[in-house]
Amino acid sequence: MVSAFVAGGASLMGASGAAGPLACGSRKWVGVAPHAAGSTVRGYAPARAGALRMAVAVEGFEKAPGADLSEQGHHADAMIATKVSDVMKQKGIERPVIIGVAADSGCGKSTFLRRVLNIFGAQVSKAHTPQGDFITVICLDDYHYHDRKGRKVANVTALDEKANNFTLMAAQVKALKEGKAIYKPIYNHDTGEHDPSELIEPNHLVVIEGLHPMYDPRVAELLDLSVYMDVSDEVKLSWKVQRDMAERGHTLENILASIESRKPDFAQFVDPQKKKADIVLNILPTQLVPDDKENKYLRVQMIQREAATNFAKVSIFDEGSTIDWVPCGRKLSCSYPGIKFHYGPDSYFGEDVTVLEMDGVVEKLDEMIYVESHLNNTETKFYGEMTQQLLKNPTAPGTFNGTGLFQVLIALKMREVYEKCTGRKLSVN
Amino acid sequence: MVSAFVAGGASLMGASGAAGPLACGSRKWVGVAPHAAGSTVRGYAPARAGALRMAVAVEGFEKAPGADLSEQGHHADAMIATKVSDVMKQKGIERPVIIGVAADSGCGKSTFLRRVLNIFGAQVSKAHTPQGDFITVICLDDYHYHDRKGRKVANVTALDEKANNFTLMAAQVKALKEGKAIYKPIYNHDTGEHDPSELIEPNHLVVIEGLHPMYDPRVAELLDLSVYMDVSDEVKLSWKVQRDMAERGHTLENILASIESRKPDFAQFVDPQKKKADIVLNILPTQLVPDDKENKYLRVQMIQREAATNFAKVSIFDEGSTIDWVPCGRKLSCSYPGIKFHYGPDSYFGEDVTVLEMDGVVEKLDEMIYVESHLNNTETKFYGEMTQQLLKNPTAPGTFNGTGLFQVLIALKMREVYEKCTGRKLSVN
C-alpha cells in the first residue's frame, strides 16, 4: 500500500535540502521565541541528577551542535552524519520534506497522524520513532534536556523553552533535511528517562511533532509546512475528563489541577506558535446546540495562513468571498443538529488567513460526500477521496465532525506540499 | 430588434390554448378569492350614473360573457371573436403565452415591463394598450366596472373585487389564449371614464398587469406564469414621498392619508394574491445599514414557488441548501455598504418556496458580472446577459440594487416560460 512515484524526473543526487528540483516556497519565518540563538540554557541552575550519557565515536558521524549543552549529559551522544546518507540514493530521495505538527497531548495528534499515513498510503514501525519506507515521525519530546526527575529539580515544566534543546533540534532537523543521518536522543515516556540515542536516516517525509516544532526560528524555518492543533479549554477539559477519568481513573479535581498548573507555561511557550502556523486546526464548542456540555457536537476551524505559499487554500464555492452554508435542505437531509459551514477571509493575530469552519456532525456517507464535492482545492486524487479516508477509520475520534474532515484535509495539504517541494506526483491505489 | 424564432416545429394550427405542442405545466390553481364564479356582482346596489355603452354588432364577434354584468353598461360593447384570428397564422403564433403581473401603482411595474421588453428584444406601441409584433400588455384596470364617479356613488375602491368585472376578464383572457381577438373595454385614467372598447388581437406573449391578475381563479388558471410585485410599507412610503411630493406637489399628510385609506382593501383584495404567485418580487428596507430612512439601499427578495413547474428555480452555488454570501472580499472589492446575498428554501404562507435575496447596492460593472456568474439556472443566452440588460438602462430605478437584478431575472424566467410553453427558442442579438 506504499505510494509509488509516477513522475518527477528524480535525479538521485545528494539533495542539499535548501532548494528542491521545483520551487517550493522558502518561508520567511518571524520567530515567536524572544531568546537569541544559543542562549536557551541561560538562567537556570544545572541539575546533576542521573547518569551522564557519554558520546561514543561512530565512523562518519560527528557530535551534533547542542549535544554538549545538556548539563545532565542526556544529549551527549547526539550526532550528525558528516555526509549525505546512502539511503538517499537507495530510496530515491531527492529532497526530504519536513513538516511540523504542534499539539499538546490529548489534542488528537495520534488520530491525525494515522490519517496522514493513510493519505500517503504509508506504513511505519511501532518503534519509539515510527519509521517506514516513506515517512518518519519524530517526537520532539526527545529534545527535552532533563529527565522527569531533572525537571523537578530544575523546577521547569516540559513546556518551558528552557527544558528543550532547540540548538540540537535545529541542527538535527536541518541534517535530515540535507539528507544526513542523525543519532537522535530518546526521551522514554515510560521511565521518564533518556535512552541511548538512536540512528535516524533521512526519509521522503519527516514529520516532527510535539510541543515546539515552530517555537525556535532555527527549527521553524526548516519546515515546509507547519500545522498547529488547537483545542479550546472547554473542549480540552471534557476530552480529558472523558479519557482520564474513564480510562485512567483520575479524579476531576486532579484533572482540573493538572490543566491549571500547565496553563501559564502553555500560554507562554506553546500557544504563541499558532500565530505563525501555516494551518491551525481549531476545535471549539458547537454553536448549533445551546448547551452542549459534553461537547458532543463540535465547531472546528481550519485556519489557513494566506502568506503560506506551498499549498492552495481550500475554499467553499467561491474563493475569496464570505459564505455561510447549510448544506442540509432539499437535496440533502441531515440528522439533528445538522451541519453548518462558514468560509471566508479573516485576520488571525494580525495575519491574513482564510477560515474554513464546520459546525455539527454528519451521520451518513451522503452528507460527507456532498460536503466534499463542494470544497475547492482539496487536491484529492479522485472523487470522494476524503470521504473514503474518513470511512476507513469510522471509529476514530472526530470522524463525523469537522475534526476528521479537516484532519484529512490537512493531510491532503501535506501531500500537496510534499509534491510541490519534490516535484513528484504520488499515485494512490 | 424583435427576436426571431430559431426552432420549434411551429405547425400553424389554431391553438387551443389548453395544451401547447410541448408540455407546459398546467397549473392547479387554488383561488384566493372566496366567492363563487359568477357571483362577483352580488351584494352591491347598482349605480345608474353615466351613459350606457351600447353593444354594436360586429361580424365574427359575439357579446362576451360578463359584458352584461356591468350595471353602468361600460362593458356592454365587450366582445369575443367566434373563431381563431387570422393573425395567429399570419404571425405564426401557435400558442399565446399569458403572464400575469400583479402590482400596486408605484411599485416599479413600468420599469419592470421595460426590462421585459428588452429581454424579449420586443417593441410595443405607445397606445393605451401597448402592442407590438411579439408582446401585448393589457392593463386590468380596463375591467373596472365603474368610472371614477361611479365608484364614489357605489362607495367602492378600485381595489375591491366588486369594482372589477372578473367574468369578462376571464372570458377575454381565455379568448386571447385560444387565439381569438377581443374587443376589450378601455378605462381611461385621464378622464376616469370608459372609452369605446378596442380590438385586441392575440399575440405571442400577452402580459396582463394590474391589481388583480391572480385574484379570480378563472383568470389565474389561464396564466402560464404569475408574478407579484411586493413593496414593504416603509419603502412604499418613501417612494411615494419622493415621487408625489417632489414631482406632483402633494403634501406628506395627503400621501399618508391616501396610503392609509387604501390599506384595508389592499390587504383584502390585492395582497393575498402573493400567496399563490409563482414568483414574488419583495422589496424591503436594507439590513446592512442601521438606519436607512431614505431607503437608499434595499433588500430585495425573489421568492420562487416550488410548485411552479414552468421555470427552473434560480439558486446560488448549491441548489437546495441555505447560503449566505458576501461576494465582496479578496477577489471582488465593493463600495459601502457592500452587497450580501441569501439563498435557501423557505416557507411562504404555507407554500414551499425558494428565496433569493440581495441586500445592498453594486456600484461597478465587475460587481454585477461577478454576482451573475455565480447564479444558477438564470437561463441567460450568453455570459453576462443580465449585466448587459441592467446596463442598458443604467438610470432606471433599482438598476444597482436587487430590484433591477431580480426584475431582469424574472424577465428571463418569462422568456423561459414562453419557450417552454411554445417549444420555441428565441434568439438574441
Tab-separated table of all heavy atoms in Angstrom, chain B residues 307-361:
chain	number	residue	atom	x	y	z
B	307	ALA	N	-43.838	24.815	-6.282
B	307	ALA	CA	-44.829	24.072	-7.066
B	307	ALA	C	-44.926	24.580	-8.501
B	307	ALA	O	-45.505	23.906	-9.351
B	307	ALA	CB	-46.187	24.159	-6.377
B	308	ALA	N	-44.393	25.741	-8.760
B	308	ALA	CA	-44.405	26.258	-10.133
B	308	ALA	C	-43.439	25.433	-10.972
B	308	ALA	O	-42.278	25.281	-10.613
B	308	ALA	CB	-43.990	27.727	-10.141
B	309	THR	N	-43.931	24.902	-12.067
B	309	THR	CA	-43.124	23.930	-12.810
B	309	THR	C	-42.644	24.451	-14.162
B	309	THR	O	-41.919	23.769	-14.856
B	309	THR	CB	-43.928	22.643	-13.058
B	309	THR	OG1	-45.173	23.015	-13.668
B	309	THR	CG2	-44.195	21.911	-11.770
B	310	ASN	N	-43.066	25.658	-14.527
B	310	ASN	CA	-42.737	26.143	-15.871
B	310	ASN	C	-41.370	26.804	-15.983
B	310	ASN	O	-41.008	27.265	-17.060
B	310	ASN	CB	-43.810	27.131	-16.358
B	310	ASN	CG	-45.050	26.394	-16.820
B	310	ASN	OD1	-45.010	25.175	-16.975
B	310	ASN	ND2	-46.139	27.111	-17.034
B	311	PHE	N	-40.659	26.911	-14.874
B	311	PHE	CA	-39.322	27.508	-14.951
B	311	PHE	C	-38.424	26.874	-13.900
B	311	PHE	O	-38.889	26.348	-12.891
B	311	PHE	CB	-39.388	29.035	-14.751
B	311	PHE	CG	-39.886	29.436	-13.389
B	311	PHE	CD1	-39.005	29.686	-12.354
B	311	PHE	CD2	-41.253	29.553	-13.136
B	311	PHE	CE1	-39.471	30.048	-11.094
B	311	PHE	CE2	-41.721	29.911	-11.887
B	311	PHE	CZ	-40.829	30.156	-10.867
B	312	ALA	N	-37.135	26.934	-14.163
B	312	ALA	CA	-36.150	26.406	-13.218
B	312	ALA	C	-35.875	27.455	-12.151
B	312	ALA	O	-35.654	28.618	-12.463
B	312	ALA	CB	-34.866	26.052	-13.961
B	313	LYS	N	-35.891	27.040	-10.896
B	313	LYS	CA	-35.645	27.978	-9.806
B	313	LYS	C	-34.181	28.419	-9.822
B	313	LYS	O	-33.284	27.595	-9.933
B	313	LYS	CB	-35.973	27.343	-8.449
B	313	LYS	CG	-37.302	26.576	-8.381
B	313	LYS	CD	-38.497	27.400	-8.765
B	313	LYS	CE	-39.767	26.562	-8.800
B	313	LYS	NZ	-39.776	25.439	-9.763
B	314	VAL	N	-34.000	29.705	-9.641
B	314	VAL	CA	-32.643	30.254	-9.619
B	314	VAL	C	-32.025	29.996	-8.243
B	314	VAL	O	-32.697	30.148	-7.221
B	314	VAL	CB	-32.657	31.764	-9.907
B	314	VAL	CG1	-31.251	32.330	-9.910
B	314	VAL	CG2	-33.349	32.032	-11.241
B	315	SER	N	-30.788	29.600	-8.238
B	315	SER	CA	-30.103	29.366	-6.966
B	315	SER	C	-28.710	29.989	-6.992
B	315	SER	O	-28.240	30.430	-8.040
B	315	SER	CB	-29.998	27.862	-6.694
B	315	SER	OG	-29.218	27.237	-7.692
B	316	ILE	N	-28.091	30.011	-5.827
B	316	ILE	CA	-26.696	30.449	-5.733
B	316	ILE	C	-25.863	29.247	-5.302
B	316	ILE	O	-26.187	28.602	-4.308
B	316	ILE	CB	-26.518	31.569	-4.690
B	316	ILE	CG1	-27.403	32.760	-5.037
B	316	ILE	CG2	-25.066	32.011	-4.608
B	316	ILE	CD1	-27.315	33.898	-4.022
B	317	PHE	N	-24.854	28.950	-6.046
B	317	PHE	CA	-23.877	27.910	-5.726
B	317	PHE	C	-24.472	26.507	-5.672
B	317	PHE	O	-24.174	25.684	-6.504
B	317	PHE	CB	-23.153	28.184	-4.393
B	317	PHE	CG	-22.359	29.440	-4.394
B	317	PHE	CD1	-22.605	30.448	-3.486
B	317	PHE	CD2	-21.365	29.649	-5.336
B	317	PHE	CE1	-21.871	31.624	-3.500
B	317	PHE	CE2	-20.631	30.816	-5.359
B	317	PHE	CZ	-20.888	31.803	-4.438
B	318	ASP	N	-25.309	26.237	-4.676
B	318	ASP	CA	-25.730	24.865	-4.452
B	318	ASP	C	-27.238	24.807	-4.255
B	318	ASP	O	-27.748	25.200	-3.216
B	318	ASP	CB	-25.024	24.309	-3.204
B	318	ASP	CG	-25.480	22.905	-2.880
B	318	ASP	OD1	-25.638	22.112	-3.827
B	318	ASP	OD2	-25.688	22.608	-1.687
B	319	GLU	N	-27.915	24.298	-5.260
B	319	GLU	CA	-29.366	24.239	-5.234
B	319	GLU	C	-29.863	23.431	-4.037
B	319	GLU	O	-29.397	22.316	-3.799
B	319	GLU	CB	-29.861	23.600	-6.538
B	319	GLU	CG	-31.305	23.883	-6.827
B	319	GLU	CD	-31.742	23.287	-8.168
B	319	GLU	OE1	-30.907	23.209	-9.086
B	319	GLU	OE2	-32.907	22.895	-8.260
B	320	GLY	N	-30.772	23.998	-3.284
B	320	GLY	CA	-31.426	23.238	-2.217
B	320	GLY	C	-30.853	23.457	-0.841
B	320	GLY	O	-31.482	23.114	0.149
B	321	SER	N	-29.669	24.040	-0.752
B	321	SER	CA	-29.126	24.289	0.583
B	321	SER	C	-29.340	25.757	0.954
B	321	SER	O	-29.975	26.496	0.224
B	321	SER	CB	-27.649	23.899	0.639
B	321	SER	OG	-26.873	24.719	-0.196
B	322	THR	N	-28.875	26.135	2.106
B	322	THR	CA	-29.059	27.512	2.578
B	322	THR	C	-27.709	28.208	2.617
B	322	THR	O	-26.770	27.690	3.218
B	322	THR	CB	-29.701	27.507	3.977
B	322	THR	OG1	-30.968	26.866	3.882
B	322	THR	CG2	-29.889	28.927	4.492
B	323	ILE	N	-27.646	29.366	1.995
B	323	ILE	CA	-26.359	30.032	1.825
B	323	ILE	C	-26.470	31.533	2.077
B	323	ILE	O	-27.390	32.175	1.581
B	323	ILE	CB	-25.816	29.779	0.400
B	323	ILE	CG1	-25.434	28.309	0.250
B	323	ILE	CG2	-24.632	30.687	0.080
B	323	ILE	CD1	-25.029	27.908	-1.134
B	324	ASP	N	-25.553	32.041	2.872
B	324	ASP	CA	-25.347	33.490	2.962
B	324	ASP	C	-24.027	33.781	2.280
B	324	ASP	O	-23.032	33.118	2.556
B	324	ASP	CB	-25.308	33.943	4.427
B	324	ASP	CG	-26.684	33.883	5.039
B	324	ASP	OD1	-27.519	34.713	4.681
B	324	ASP	OD2	-26.919	32.983	5.864
B	325	TRP	N	-24.041	34.777	1.440
B	325	TRP	CA	-22.862	35.020	0.605
B	325	TRP	C	-22.546	36.507	0.563
B	325	TRP	O	-23.389	37.303	0.182
B	325	TRP	CB	-23.129	34.492	-0.808
B	325	TRP	CG	-22.041	34.735	-1.818
B	325	TRP	CD1	-20.699	34.637	-1.641
B	325	TRP	CD2	-22.228	35.114	-3.193
B	325	TRP	NE1	-20.040	34.926	-2.816
B	325	TRP	CE2	-20.956	35.216	-3.784
B	325	TRP	CE3	-23.362	35.357	-3.980
B	325	TRP	CZ2	-20.785	35.574	-5.118
B	325	TRP	CZ3	-23.180	35.709	-5.303
B	325	TRP	CH2	-21.904	35.801	-5.861
B	326	VAL	N	-21.345	36.832	0.967
B	326	VAL	CA	-20.843	38.194	0.797
B	326	VAL	C	-19.757	38.120	-0.266
B	326	VAL	O	-18.638	37.681	0.022
B	326	VAL	CB	-20.274	38.748	2.121
B	326	VAL	CG1	-19.703	40.133	1.907
B	326	VAL	CG2	-21.357	38.782	3.180
B	327	PRO	N	-20.090	38.480	-1.496
B	327	PRO	CA	-19.104	38.305	-2.567
B	327	PRO	C	-17.913	39.239	-2.457
B	327	PRO	O	-16.854	38.961	-3.005
B	327	PRO	CB	-19.894	38.583	-3.851
B	327	PRO	CG	-21.128	39.273	-3.436
B	327	PRO	CD	-21.373	38.974	-1.997
B	328	CYS	N	-18.099	40.329	-1.728
B	328	CYS	CA	-17.018	41.291	-1.594
B	328	CYS	C	-15.941	40.679	-0.699
B	328	CYS	O	-16.239	40.204	0.394
B	328	CYS	CB	-17.531	42.568	-0.959
B	328	CYS	SG	-19.176	42.995	-1.558
B	329	GLY	N	-14.707	40.722	-1.149
B	329	GLY	CA	-13.634	40.152	-0.343
B	329	GLY	C	-12.339	40.209	-1.108
B	329	GLY	O	-12.013	41.235	-1.690
B	330	ARG	N	-11.630	39.096	-1.145
B	330	ARG	CA	-10.306	39.082	-1.764
B	330	ARG	C	-10.361	39.307	-3.269
B	330	ARG	O	-9.525	39.991	-3.830
B	330	ARG	CB	-9.620	37.739	-1.490
B	330	ARG	CG	-9.299	37.546	-0.028
B	330	ARG	CD	-7.822	37.266	0.224
B	330	ARG	NE	-7.569	37.340	1.661
B	330	ARG	CZ	-7.788	36.331	2.491
B	330	ARG	NH1	-8.238	35.177	2.031
B	330	ARG	NH2	-7.539	36.471	3.782
B	331	LYS	N	-11.357	38.685	-3.934
B	331	LYS	CA	-11.369	38.778	-5.397
B	331	LYS	C	-12.180	39.963	-5.906
B	331	LYS	O	-11.974	40.432	-7.014
B	331	LYS	CB	-11.923	37.473	-6.004
B	331	LYS	CG	-10.913	36.342	-5.959
B	331	LYS	CD	-11.207	35.251	-6.971
B	331	LYS	CE	-12.506	34.531	-6.684
B	331	LYS	NZ	-12.652	33.295	-7.485
B	332	LEU	N	-13.140	40.402	-5.109
B	332	LEU	CA	-14.034	41.478	-5.549
B	332	LEU	C	-14.083	42.555	-4.473
B	332	LEU	O	-14.442	42.268	-3.335
B	332	LEU	CB	-15.442	40.908	-5.773
B	332	LEU	CG	-16.498	41.917	-6.224
B	332	LEU	CD1	-16.287	42.270	-7.687
B	332	LEU	CD2	-17.894	41.337	-6.031
B	333	SER	N	-13.758	43.766	-4.842
B	333	SER	CA	-13.884	44.836	-3.852
B	333	SER	C	-15.179	45.603	-4.112
B	333	SER	O	-15.550	45.863	-5.247
B	333	SER	CB	-12.677	45.771	-3.928
B	333	SER	OG	-12.599	46.336	-5.215
B	334	CYS	N	-15.880	45.909	-3.049
B	334	CYS	CA	-17.184	46.561	-3.159
B	334	CYS	C	-17.146	47.889	-2.417
B	334	CYS	O	-16.372	48.078	-1.488
B	334	CYS	CB	-18.282	45.694	-2.536
B	334	CYS	SG	-18.430	44.081	-3.305
B	335	SER	N	-18.006	48.765	-2.840
B	335	SER	CA	-18.124	50.042	-2.155
B	335	SER	C	-19.127	49.894	-1.007
B	335	SER	O	-19.938	48.977	-0.984
B	335	SER	CB	-18.610	51.096	-3.134
B	335	SER	OG	-19.671	50.585	-3.912
B	336	TYR	N	-19.115	50.816	-0.081
B	336	TYR	CA	-20.015	50.804	1.064
B	336	TYR	C	-21.472	50.813	0.612
B	336	TYR	O	-21.796	51.560	-0.307
B	336	TYR	CB	-19.757	52.034	1.945
B	336	TYR	CG	-20.677	52.144	3.134
B	336	TYR	CD1	-20.397	51.451	4.305
B	336	TYR	CD2	-21.848	52.901	3.058
B	336	TYR	CE1	-21.258	51.526	5.382
B	336	TYR	CE2	-22.709	52.968	4.139
B	336	TYR	CZ	-22.410	52.276	5.297
B	336	TYR	OH	-23.261	52.352	6.362
B	337	PRO	N	-22.395	50.099	1.213
B	337	PRO	CA	-22.194	49.143	2.301
B	337	PRO	C	-21.981	47.718	1.793
B	337	PRO	O	-22.178	46.775	2.544
B	337	PRO	CB	-23.512	49.242	3.061
B	337	PRO	CG	-24.523	49.494	1.983
B	337	PRO	CD	-23.822	50.236	0.883
B	338	GLY	N	-21.574	47.577	0.571
B	338	GLY	CA	-21.342	46.249	0.028
B	338	GLY	C	-22.637	45.546	-0.331
B	338	GLY	O	-23.725	46.144	-0.306
B	339	ILE	N	-22.525	44.280	-0.677
B	339	ILE	CA	-23.717	43.503	-1.015
B	339	ILE	C	-23.682	42.178	-0.273
B	339	ILE	O	-22.625	41.653	0.051
B	339	ILE	CB	-23.838	43.237	-2.538
B	339	ILE	CG1	-22.474	42.905	-3.159
B	339	ILE	CG2	-24.458	44.405	-3.253
B	339	ILE	CD1	-22.543	42.575	-4.636
B	340	LYS	N	-24.866	41.694	0.010
B	340	LYS	CA	-24.973	40.425	0.733
B	340	LYS	C	-26.121	39.631	0.140
B	340	LYS	O	-27.217	40.171	-0.030
B	340	LYS	CB	-25.213	40.704	2.216
B	340	LYS	CG	-25.229	39.454	3.055
B	340	LYS	CD	-25.376	39.752	4.530
B	340	LYS	CE	-25.498	38.454	5.294
B	340	LYS	NZ	-25.663	38.645	6.724
B	341	PHE	N	-25.868	38.381	-0.128
B	341	PHE	CA	-26.899	37.525	-0.692
B	341	PHE	C	-27.332	36.461	0.305
B	341	PHE	O	-26.550	36.012	1.139
B	341	PHE	CB	-26.381	36.828	-1.963
B	341	PHE	CG	-26.383	37.730	-3.153
B	341	PHE	CD1	-25.341	38.619	-3.354
B	341	PHE	CD2	-27.437	37.736	-4.038
B	341	PHE	CE1	-25.349	39.475	-4.440
B	341	PHE	CE2	-27.458	38.592	-5.117
B	341	PHE	CZ	-26.412	39.468	-5.319
B	342	HIS	N	-28.582	36.109	0.182
B	342	HIS	CA	-29.078	34.953	0.919
B	342	HIS	C	-29.817	34.067	-0.063
B	342	HIS	O	-30.519	34.556	-0.947
B	342	HIS	CB	-30.015	35.374	2.053
B	342	HIS	CG	-30.694	34.211	2.713
B	342	HIS	ND1	-30.056	33.418	3.640
B	342	HIS	CD2	-31.919	33.677	2.536
B	342	HIS	CE1	-30.885	32.459	4.024
B	342	HIS	NE2	-32.019	32.591	3.372
B	343	TYR	N	-29.657	32.780	0.100
B	343	TYR	CA	-30.376	31.845	-0.744
B	343	TYR	C	-30.785	30.642	0.092
B	343	TYR	O	-30.001	30.164	0.904
B	343	TYR	CB	-29.492	31.374	-1.913
B	343	TYR	CG	-29.986	30.094	-2.521
B	343	TYR	CD1	-31.132	30.092	-3.312
B	343	TYR	CD2	-29.365	28.879	-2.251
B	343	TYR	CE1	-31.632	28.918	-3.834
B	343	TYR	CE2	-29.857	27.693	-2.774
B	343	TYR	CZ	-30.983	27.720	-3.565
B	343	TYR	OH	-31.488	26.558	-4.070
B	344	GLY	N	-31.997	30.168	-0.112
B	344	GLY	CA	-32.370	28.963	0.601
B	344	GLY	C	-33.836	28.632	0.496
B	344	GLY	O	-34.658	29.466	0.098
B	345	PRO	N	-34.178	27.411	0.835
B	345	PRO	CA	-35.581	27.021	0.863
B	345	PRO	C	-36.275	27.687	2.048
B	345	PRO	O	-35.647	27.979	3.056
B	345	PRO	CB	-35.516	25.503	1.050
B	345	PRO	CG	-34.199	25.240	1.688
B	345	PRO	CD	-33.273	26.337	1.277
B	346	ASP	N	-37.547	27.935	1.891
B	346	ASP	CA	-38.285	28.586	2.970
B	346	ASP	C	-39.758	28.238	2.812
B	346	ASP	O	-40.154	27.555	1.874
B	346	ASP	CB	-38.082	30.110	2.885
B	346	ASP	CG	-38.094	30.762	4.261
B	346	ASP	OD1	-38.841	30.277	5.137
B	346	ASP	OD2	-37.374	31.753	4.448
B	347	SER	N	-40.537	28.719	3.746
B	347	SER	CA	-41.980	28.545	3.655
B	347	SER	C	-42.596	29.940	3.566
B	347	SER	O	-42.192	30.857	4.269
B	347	SER	CB	-42.482	27.807	4.894
B	347	SER	OG	-43.876	27.658	4.825
B	348	TYR	N	-43.547	30.091	2.670
B	348	TYR	CA	-44.148	31.412	2.433
B	348	TYR	C	-45.655	31.220	2.414
B	348	TYR	O	-46.187	30.617	1.485
B	348	TYR	CB	-43.627	31.943	1.097
B	348	TYR	CG	-44.028	33.356	0.722
B	348	TYR	CD1	-43.504	34.456	1.394
B	348	TYR	CD2	-44.898	33.580	-0.337
B	348	TYR	CE1	-43.849	35.737	1.033
B	348	TYR	CE2	-45.250	34.867	-0.711
B	348	TYR	CZ	-44.724	35.947	-0.021
B	348	TYR	OH	-45.060	37.221	-0.388
B	349	PHE	N	-46.312	31.652	3.447
B	349	PHE	CA	-47.748	31.427	3.610
B	349	PHE	C	-48.094	29.950	3.403
B	349	PHE	O	-49.039	29.607	2.699
B	349	PHE	CB	-48.541	32.304	2.639
B	349	PHE	CG	-48.370	33.768	2.898
B	349	PHE	CD1	-47.570	34.546	2.078
B	349	PHE	CD2	-48.983	34.357	3.987
B	349	PHE	CE1	-47.400	35.899	2.340
B	349	PHE	CE2	-48.820	35.714	4.254
B	349	PHE	CZ	-48.028	36.477	3.421
B	350	GLY	N	-47.279	29.107	3.997
B	350	GLY	CA	-47.558	27.673	3.946
B	350	GLY	C	-47.116	26.986	2.668
B	350	GLY	O	-47.237	25.761	2.548
B	351	GLU	N	-46.599	27.750	1.733
B	351	GLU	CA	-46.138	27.154	0.473
B	351	GLU	C	-44.612	26.976	0.523
B	351	GLU	O	-43.906	27.855	1.020
B	351	GLU	CB	-46.469	28.076	-0.713
B	351	GLU	CG	-47.934	28.308	-0.962
B	351	GLU	CD	-48.504	27.329	-1.987
B	351	GLU	OE1	-47.747	26.861	-2.855
B	351	GLU	OE2	-49.704	27.039	-1.895
B	352	ASP	N	-44.120	25.892	-0.042
B	352	ASP	CA	-42.677	25.732	-0.183
B	352	ASP	C	-42.155	26.698	-1.236
B	352	ASP	O	-42.671	26.725	-2.359
B	352	ASP	CB	-42.339	24.305	-0.622
B	352	ASP	CG	-42.379	23.331	0.535
B	352	ASP	OD1	-42.370	23.785	1.687
B	352	ASP	OD2	-42.433	22.119	0.276
B	353	VAL	N	-41.168	27.454	-0.866
B	353	VAL	CA	-40.597	28.407	-1.816
B	353	VAL	C	-39.070	28.355	-1.724
B	353	VAL	O	-38.504	27.788	-0.791
B	353	VAL	CB	-41.053	29.858	-1.530
B	353	VAL	CG1	-42.555	30.012	-1.727
B	353	VAL	CG2	-40.640	30.301	-0.127
B	354	THR	N	-38.451	28.946	-2.698
B	354	THR	CA	-37.014	29.169	-2.672
B	354	THR	C	-36.798	30.670	-2.700
B	354	THR	O	-37.323	31.354	-3.568
B	354	THR	CB	-36.345	28.519	-3.891
B	354	THR	OG1	-36.459	27.110	-3.782
B	354	THR	CG2	-34.878	28.898	-3.967
B	355	VAL	N	-36.059	31.159	-1.730
B	355	VAL	CA	-35.845	32.598	-1.625
B	355	VAL	C	-34.428	32.948	-2.084
B	355	VAL	O	-33.458	32.281	-1.723
B	355	VAL	CB	-36.056	33.080	-0.172
B	355	VAL	CG1	-35.698	34.557	-0.040
B	355	VAL	CG2	-37.489	32.844	0.261
B	356	LEU	N	-34.373	33.977	-2.893
B	356	LEU	CA	-33.100	34.538	-3.313
B	356	LEU	C	-33.151	35.978	-2.830
B	356	LEU	O	-34.143	36.665	-3.083
B	356	LEU	CB	-33.047	34.480	-4.832
B	356	LEU	CG	-31.719	34.461	-5.569
B	356	LEU	CD1	-30.907	33.250	-5.156
B	356	LEU	CD2	-32.007	34.388	-7.068
B	357	GLU	N	-32.139	36.421	-2.129
B	357	GLU	CA	-32.192	37.776	-1.569
B	357	GLU	C	-30.890	38.516	-1.838
B	357	GLU	O	-29.813	37.954	-1.708
B	357	GLU	CB	-32.439	37.691	-0.057
B	357	GLU	CG	-32.458	39.040	0.630
B	357	GLU	CD	-32.671	38.913	2.134
B	357	GLU	OE1	-33.688	38.341	2.544
B	357	GLU	OE2	-31.804	39.384	2.892
B	358	MET	N	-31.031	39.761	-2.218
B	358	MET	CA	-29.858	40.626	-2.348
B	358	MET	C	-30.078	41.862	-1.509
B	358	MET	O	-31.098	42.534	-1.634
B	358	MET	CB	-29.634	41.033	-3.797
B	358	MET	CG	-28.547	42.100	-3.957
B	358	MET	SD	-28.226	42.538	-5.689
B	358	MET	CE	-27.261	44.052	-5.450
B	359	ASP	N	-29.122	42.156	-0.649
B	359	ASP	CA	-29.167	43.372	0.149
B	359	ASP	C	-28.009	44.251	-0.292
B	359	ASP	O	-26.898	43.764	-0.511
B	359	ASP	CB	-29.054	43.015	1.638
B	359	ASP	CG	-29.564	44.134	2.539
B	359	ASP	OD1	-29.812	45.242	2.021
B	359	ASP	OD2	-29.723	43.900	3.741
B	360	GLY	N	-28.293	45.555	-0.407
B	360	GLY	CA	-27.230	46.487	-0.761
B	360	GLY	C	-27.221	46.855	-2.231
B	360	GLY	O	-28.134	46.506	-2.973
B	361	VAL	N	-26.183	47.565	-2.617
B	361	VAL	CA	-26.080	48.039	-3.999
B	361	VAL	C	-24.717	47.692	-4.586
B	361	VAL	O	-23.732	47.583	-3.865
B	361	VAL	CB	-26.245	49.574	-4.097
B	361	VAL	CG1	-27.649	50.001	-3.736
B	361	VAL	CG2	-25.229	50.286	-3.222
